[in-house]
Amino acid sequence: IQTRSTCHRFRMLDPTQAVARLGGVAQKQRILALGVPASALLTAVRRGSLFRPMQGWYALPDADSDTVKAVRLGGCLGCVSAAGRHGLATPPGNPLHVWVRPGSSRFRAPSDKHVRFEPSTDRSAILHWNRLHGVSRHTLVLPLHLALFQIAECMPLDYAVAIFDSALHRHKISASSLASLISSWPVRLHAVAELLDGRAESFPESIFRVRLHLAGLTCKIQVLALDAFRLDVVIGDRLLIEINGLQYHGADRFEPDHARGALLSGVGFIILRFTYYQVLFDWPTVLATISAAIERGDHRSRTR
C-alpha cells in the first residue's frame, strides 16, 4: 500500500525540469511552488546540474548567459536586449540592457556575483530604472510593449525606428496597436511614429531611410521593377541603392545578384551598393556618395 507521502515523492518534478519549465533561470520560491523540495535543489547544485547565479535564484548550466547576468544585477532583460529575445532586429555590439526597480542599489557584477557593479563607470551593462507596472521580480524578459518604450527613450532615433520597423514587419505587433501604444507615451517620444514603415525588410534598410530623411533627402522602398524584382531602396526614378549583408548576400547569391543587376542596368537603373557596415558605421561616406550621384542627376530619368 502506498502512503500519501510516497505518492507525492513519486510525482515530484525533477529540479532541473522545474527550472527548465520556468525559463532556465528561476527564483527559489517559484521552483518550490512546483513541488520541488529544497533538499532536491541543494543536491542538484552539489551535482552541478544547477547553479546559483545569486542568492535565492537557480539556473541550468546552459542557461542563457544574458538572462543570468540580468538576474545577477537584480533585474531582467530590457530595452534592446529584450527586443532581441522577442525576435526583433537589433543593432550590433550593444552592451547588456537591464531593467531594475527604481531605488535599487548595491548591484553585483553581471559576470561575478561576488564583485560590486558600479553603473556610472562600468559600461558592460546599461541599467534602466523606469517605473514600470506589472513586472514581477521573477520576470526574465520585459514584455514587448515595455521594451519598446525603453527603446524609444534610450536609442538614437534611427535605431529606434529600425527596431520598431522590425516589430511591424515581423508581425510582433500591429500598426494600430503600435500607434496606440506610442500615443500613450510622452510627446517627446512621438517622433519615432512619423518615420515608421513596416515594409522595410532589414535593419540597415530602415537605418538608411531614416538617415536619408534626416539629411533632407527622400527615397522609396520596396519598389517593383520589371514585374519581377522588388527593389529595397530607390532614390528618384532610377538610382537604386542595394545594402548587402553577409547573412543575406552570401556566396550562393553572387550569380543571381549580378544577373539581376545586369537586367536592371539594362533598363536604365544606376546601382550603388553599400555594405551593412558602411550604412551603420560610415554614414558620411555613404551620404557623400549619394549626394554626388544626385548632383550628377543619376536619380532622374533621361529624356530625349
Side-chain angles (χ1 to χ4, degrees):
I1 300 175
Q2 290 183 322
T3 65
R4 171 178 279 178
S5 60
T6 302
C7 292
H8 175 75
R9 284 197 301 271
F10 180 77
R11 293 194 304 268
M12 182 187 76
L13 190 65
D14 179 86
T16 58
Q17 293 177 323
V19 174
R21 181 181 295 181
L22 295 171
V25 187
Q27 280 184 302
K28 181 178 180 179
Q29 297 93 317
R30 298 195 74 208
I31 304 170
L32 297 181
L34 292 178
V36 178
S39 59
L41 284 175
L42 295 175
T43 300
V45 171
R46 284 197 298 268
R47 291 176 176 173
S49 55
L50 291 176
F51 72 96
R52 284 181 283 211
M54 67 176 296
Q55 185 175 357
W57 286 79
Y58 292 82
L60 296 170
D62 61 351
D64 176 71
S65 61
D66 283 349
T67 303
V68 170
K69 290 174 181 178
V71 165
R72 284 205 180 103
L73 283 163
C76 67
L77 295 177
C79 196
V80 289
S81 297
R85 293 300 183 277
H86 287 292
L88 307 189
T90 57
N94 271 293
L96 185 68
H97 284 250
V98 178
W99 175 79
V100 295
R101 294 184 180 281
S104 299
S105 60
R106 299 179 63 83
F107 300 106
R108 294 294 160 183
S111 299
D112 190 340
K113 64 181 177 182
H114 302 294
V115 177
R116 290 287 298 274
F117 175 82
E118 178 48 60
S120 62
T121 57
D122 191 335
R123 306 309 291 174
S124 63
I126 305 297
L127 302 188
H128 296 258
W129 278 277
N130 316 75
R131 191 171 298 280
L132 303 177
H133 299 288
V135 183
S136 65
R137 182 64 187 93
H138 64 256
T139 299
L140 300 178
V141 180
L142 276 187
L144 178 60
H145 69 286
L146 297 178
L148 291 175
F149 172 71
Q150 289 186 337
I151 288 165
E153 279 203 316
C154 175
M155 291 284 105
L157 180 62
D158 51 357
Y159 278 19
V161 170
I163 296 169
F164 281 48
D165 280 354
S166 172
L168 291 171
H169 185 72
R170 299 181 183 186
H171 306 292
K172 300 297 182 179
I173 188 170
S174 68
S176 58
S177 295
L178 184 55
S180 176
L181 181 64
I182 295 173
S183 69
S184 69
W185 297 345
V187 175
R188 60 186 168 80
L189 302 180
H190 290 186
V192 67
E194 300 172 6
L195 297 171
L196 296 180
D197 194 325
R199 294 175 300 163
E201 294 186 342
S202 72
F203 190 85
E205 180 185 320
S206 294
I207 294 291
F208 180 92
R209 187 187 77 249
V210 175
R211 290 183 179 176
L212 203 67
H213 170 82
L214 295 176
L217 300 173
T218 59
C219 64
K220 296 170 285 188
I221 69 169
Q222 300 303 312
V223 176
L224 187 64
L226 301 178
D227 295 325
F229 301 119
R230 191 165 295 280
L231 312 181
D232 291 341
V233 181
V234 176
I235 298 174
D237 299 316
R238 63 180 192 139
L239 184 58
L240 168 59
I241 309 298
E242 296 204 328
I243 304 167
N244 299 329
L246 289 177
Q247 66 271 49
Y248 304 113
H249 296 270
D252 61 324
R253 293 298 309 164
F254 183 83
E255 292 295 338
D257 283 351
H258 280 71
R260 172 179 175 273
L263 287 171
L264 292 170
S265 295
V267 295
F269 281 97
I270 292 178
I271 304 173
L272 292 179
R273 290 186 172 89
F274 301 104
T275 66
Y276 181 105
Y277 180 91
Q278 286 176 301
V279 171
L280 264 64
F281 304 114
D282 192 15
W283 178 249
T285 298
V286 172
L287 182 59
T289 303
I290 292 169
S291 298
I294 291 174
E295 192 71 24
R296 291 192 301 267
D298 291 349
H299 62 306
R300 294 195 297 265
S301 295
R302 295 180 179 175
T303 56
R304 296 180 181 180

mmCIF file of all heavy atoms in Angstrom, residues 221-242:
data_model
loop_
_atom_site.group_PDB
_atom_site.id
_atom_site.type_symbol
_atom_site.label_atom_id
_atom_site.label_comp_id
_atom_site.label_asym_id
_atom_site.label_seq_id
_atom_site.Cartn_x
_atom_site.Cartn_y
_atom_site.Cartn_z
ATOM 1 N N ILE A 221 10.803 52.762 -50.943
ATOM 2 C CA ILE A 221 11.258 51.410 -50.597
ATOM 3 C C ILE A 221 10.302 50.374 -51.178
ATOM 4 O O ILE A 221 9.137 50.658 -51.467
ATOM 5 C CB ILE A 221 11.392 51.223 -49.076
ATOM 6 C CG1 ILE A 221 10.017 51.227 -48.379
ATOM 7 C CG2 ILE A 221 12.293 52.288 -48.466
ATOM 8 C CD1 ILE A 221 10.096 50.789 -46.923
ATOM 9 N N GLN A 222 10.847 49.177 -51.361
ATOM 10 C CA GLN A 222 10.079 48.033 -51.862
ATOM 11 C C GLN A 222 9.364 48.388 -53.183
ATOM 12 O O GLN A 222 8.150 48.260 -53.326
ATOM 13 C CB GLN A 222 9.087 47.561 -50.810
ATOM 14 C CG GLN A 222 9.739 47.105 -49.509
ATOM 15 C CD GLN A 222 10.754 45.992 -49.730
ATOM 16 O OE1 GLN A 222 10.471 45.012 -50.413
ATOM 17 N NE2 GLN A 222 11.936 46.141 -49.143
ATOM 18 N N VAL A 223 10.162 48.859 -54.150
ATOM 19 C CA VAL A 223 9.650 49.255 -55.464
ATOM 20 C C VAL A 223 9.676 48.049 -56.403
ATOM 21 O O VAL A 223 10.690 47.345 -56.494
ATOM 22 C CB VAL A 223 10.511 50.393 -56.046
ATOM 23 C CG1 VAL A 223 10.048 50.744 -57.458
ATOM 24 C CG2 VAL A 223 10.461 51.611 -55.134
ATOM 25 N N LEU A 224 8.578 47.802 -57.096
ATOM 26 C CA LEU A 224 8.511 46.689 -58.040
ATOM 27 C C LEU A 224 9.043 47.139 -59.401
ATOM 28 O O LEU A 224 8.604 48.158 -59.952
ATOM 29 C CB LEU A 224 7.081 46.195 -58.182
ATOM 30 C CG LEU A 224 6.880 44.924 -59.025
ATOM 31 C CD1 LEU A 224 7.578 43.743 -58.362
ATOM 32 C CD2 LEU A 224 5.392 44.641 -59.206
ATOM 33 N N ALA A 225 10.016 46.393 -59.946
ATOM 34 C CA ALA A 225 10.606 46.720 -61.252
ATOM 35 C C ALA A 225 10.542 45.502 -62.165
ATOM 36 O O ALA A 225 10.774 44.371 -61.725
ATOM 37 C CB ALA A 225 12.050 47.176 -61.083
ATOM 38 N N LEU A 226 10.261 45.730 -63.432
ATOM 39 C CA LEU A 226 10.204 44.680 -64.452
ATOM 40 C C LEU A 226 9.224 43.574 -64.081
ATOM 41 O O LEU A 226 9.355 42.432 -64.534
ATOM 42 C CB LEU A 226 11.602 44.076 -64.683
ATOM 43 C CG LEU A 226 12.701 45.048 -65.136
ATOM 44 C CD1 LEU A 226 14.030 44.304 -65.274
ATOM 45 C CD2 LEU A 226 12.314 45.702 -66.457
ATOM 46 N N ASP A 227 8.265 43.900 -63.246
ATOM 47 C CA ASP A 227 7.243 42.933 -62.807
ATOM 48 C C ASP A 227 7.836 41.697 -62.142
ATOM 49 O O ASP A 227 7.154 40.669 -62.015
ATOM 50 C CB ASP A 227 6.381 42.474 -63.997
ATOM 51 C CG ASP A 227 5.563 43.608 -64.580
ATOM 52 O OD1 ASP A 227 5.126 44.471 -63.796
ATOM 53 O OD2 ASP A 227 5.396 43.635 -65.808
ATOM 54 N N ALA A 228 9.112 41.800 -61.741
ATOM 55 C CA ALA A 228 9.748 40.605 -61.179
ATOM 56 C C ALA A 228 10.637 40.895 -59.982
ATOM 57 O O ALA A 228 10.806 40.040 -59.117
ATOM 58 C CB ALA A 228 10.586 39.912 -62.268
ATOM 59 N N PHE A 229 11.207 42.087 -59.932
ATOM 60 C CA PHE A 229 12.182 42.388 -58.881
ATOM 61 C C PHE A 229 11.621 43.419 -57.903
ATOM 62 O O PHE A 229 11.100 44.458 -58.311
ATOM 63 C CB PHE A 229 13.473 42.933 -59.495
ATOM 64 C CG PHE A 229 14.119 41.990 -60.471
ATOM 65 C CD1 PHE A 229 14.304 42.360 -61.799
ATOM 66 C CD2 PHE A 229 14.545 40.732 -60.068
ATOM 67 C CE1 PHE A 229 14.899 41.504 -62.699
ATOM 68 C CE2 PHE A 229 15.138 39.866 -60.964
ATOM 69 C CZ PHE A 229 15.320 40.241 -62.284
ATOM 70 N N ARG A 230 11.756 43.124 -56.645
ATOM 71 C CA ARG A 230 11.382 44.083 -55.613
ATOM 72 C C ARG A 230 12.650 44.766 -55.137
ATOM 73 O O ARG A 230 13.548 44.126 -54.593
ATOM 74 C CB ARG A 230 10.660 43.392 -54.452
ATOM 75 C CG ARG A 230 10.008 44.381 -53.483
ATOM 76 C CD ARG A 230 9.021 43.685 -52.574
ATOM 77 N NE ARG A 230 7.884 43.150 -53.303
ATOM 78 C CZ ARG A 230 6.846 43.876 -53.702
ATOM 79 N NH1 ARG A 230 6.815 45.176 -53.469
ATOM 80 N NH2 ARG A 230 5.854 43.320 -54.352
ATOM 81 N N LEU A 231 12.721 46.086 -55.359
ATOM 82 C CA LEU A 231 13.913 46.856 -55.053
ATOM 83 C C LEU A 231 13.789 47.464 -53.657
ATOM 84 O O LEU A 231 12.770 48.084 -53.330
ATOM 85 C CB LEU A 231 14.105 47.967 -56.092
ATOM 86 C CG LEU A 231 13.981 47.534 -57.562
ATOM 87 C CD1 LEU A 231 14.229 48.716 -58.482
ATOM 88 C CD2 LEU A 231 14.952 46.387 -57.863
ATOM 89 N N ASP A 232 14.830 47.284 -52.855
ATOM 90 C CA ASP A 232 14.773 47.740 -51.467
ATOM 91 C C ASP A 232 14.628 49.251 -51.360
ATOM 92 O O ASP A 232 13.731 49.762 -50.684
ATOM 93 C CB ASP A 232 16.030 47.294 -50.711
ATOM 94 C CG ASP A 232 16.067 45.789 -50.506
ATOM 95 O OD1 ASP A 232 15.007 45.160 -50.611
ATOM 96 O OD2 ASP A 232 17.147 45.252 -50.233
ATOM 97 N N VAL A 233 15.522 49.999 -52.018
ATOM 98 C CA VAL A 233 15.531 51.459 -51.885
ATOM 99 C C VAL A 233 15.802 52.086 -53.244
ATOM 100 O O VAL A 233 16.758 51.718 -53.930
ATOM 101 C CB VAL A 233 16.620 51.924 -50.884
ATOM 102 C CG1 VAL A 233 16.593 53.451 -50.747
ATOM 103 C CG2 VAL A 233 16.447 51.261 -49.524
ATOM 104 N N VAL A 234 14.964 53.045 -53.635
ATOM 105 C CA VAL A 234 15.161 53.790 -54.878
ATOM 106 C C VAL A 234 15.057 55.277 -54.574
ATOM 107 O O VAL A 234 14.117 55.721 -53.908
ATOM 108 C CB VAL A 234 14.118 53.402 -55.950
ATOM 109 C CG1 VAL A 234 14.292 54.272 -57.200
ATOM 110 C CG2 VAL A 234 14.238 51.920 -56.304
ATOM 111 N N ILE A 235 16.035 56.041 -55.068
ATOM 112 C CA ILE A 235 16.014 57.493 -54.939
ATOM 113 C C ILE A 235 15.656 58.074 -56.307
ATOM 114 O O ILE A 235 16.281 57.714 -57.320
ATOM 115 C CB ILE A 235 17.374 58.033 -54.466
ATOM 116 C CG1 ILE A 235 17.695 57.469 -53.072
ATOM 117 C CG2 ILE A 235 17.384 59.558 -54.434
ATOM 118 C CD1 ILE A 235 19.085 57.828 -52.570
ATOM 119 N N GLY A 236 14.653 58.947 -56.329
ATOM 120 C CA GLY A 236 14.200 59.490 -57.600
ATOM 121 C C GLY A 236 13.577 58.409 -58.458
ATOM 122 O O GLY A 236 12.834 57.555 -57.971
ATOM 123 N N ASP A 237 13.905 58.428 -59.753
ATOM 124 C CA ASP A 237 13.323 57.469 -60.693
ATOM 125 C C ASP A 237 14.192 56.234 -60.916
ATOM 126 O O ASP A 237 13.684 55.167 -61.244
ATOM 127 C CB ASP A 237 13.088 58.141 -62.054
ATOM 128 C CG ASP A 237 12.110 59.306 -61.953
ATOM 129 O OD1 ASP A 237 11.089 59.151 -61.281
ATOM 130 O OD2 ASP A 237 12.406 60.363 -62.549
ATOM 131 N N ARG A 238 15.525 56.372 -60.742
ATOM 132 C CA ARG A 238 16.346 55.258 -61.206
ATOM 133 C C ARG A 238 17.637 55.017 -60.425
ATOM 134 O O ARG A 238 18.450 54.198 -60.832
ATOM 135 C CB ARG A 238 16.705 55.473 -62.673
ATOM 136 C CG ARG A 238 17.552 56.710 -62.915
ATOM 137 C CD ARG A 238 17.891 56.878 -64.363
ATOM 138 N NE ARG A 238 18.911 57.886 -64.546
ATOM 139 C CZ ARG A 238 19.934 57.786 -65.390
ATOM 140 N NH1 ARG A 238 20.077 56.696 -66.112
ATOM 141 N NH2 ARG A 238 20.808 58.761 -65.513
ATOM 142 N N LEU A 239 17.827 55.722 -59.302
ATOM 143 C CA LEU A 239 19.023 55.472 -58.501
ATOM 144 C C LEU A 239 18.702 54.393 -57.475
ATOM 145 O O LEU A 239 18.012 54.629 -56.485
ATOM 146 C CB LEU A 239 19.492 56.751 -57.815
ATOM 147 C CG LEU A 239 20.803 56.646 -57.011
ATOM 148 C CD1 LEU A 239 21.955 56.173 -57.900
ATOM 149 C CD2 LEU A 239 21.133 57.990 -56.366
ATOM 150 N N LEU A 240 19.164 53.204 -57.752
ATOM 151 C CA LEU A 240 18.877 52.042 -56.910
ATOM 152 C C LEU A 240 19.987 51.868 -55.877
ATOM 153 O O LEU A 240 21.169 51.842 -56.221
ATOM 154 C CB LEU A 240 18.765 50.783 -57.781
ATOM 155 C CG LEU A 240 18.738 49.431 -57.066
ATOM 156 C CD1 LEU A 240 17.574 49.332 -56.105
ATOM 157 C CD2 LEU A 240 18.708 48.295 -58.088
ATOM 158 N N ILE A 241 19.599 51.747 -54.616
ATOM 159 C CA ILE A 241 20.541 51.523 -53.526
ATOM 160 C C ILE A 241 20.398 50.087 -53.051
ATOM 161 O O ILE A 241 19.300 49.658 -52.673
ATOM 162 C CB ILE A 241 20.288 52.474 -52.344
ATOM 163 C CG1 ILE A 241 20.207 53.934 -52.815
ATOM 164 C CG2 ILE A 241 21.358 52.299 -51.278
ATOM 165 C CD1 ILE A 241 21.465 54.457 -53.447
ATOM 166 N N GLU A 242 21.490 49.360 -53.058
ATOM 167 C CA GLU A 242 21.490 47.996 -52.534
ATOM 168 C C GLU A 242 22.410 47.938 -51.321
ATOM 169 O O GLU A 242 23.552 48.393 -51.381
ATOM 170 C CB GLU A 242 21.931 47.012 -53.606
ATOM 171 C CG GLU A 242 20.974 46.952 -54.788
ATOM 172 C CD GLU A 242 21.042 45.633 -55.544
ATOM 173 O OE1 GLU A 242 22.136 45.055 -55.588
ATOM 174 O OE2 GLU A 242 20.004 45.213 -56.087
#
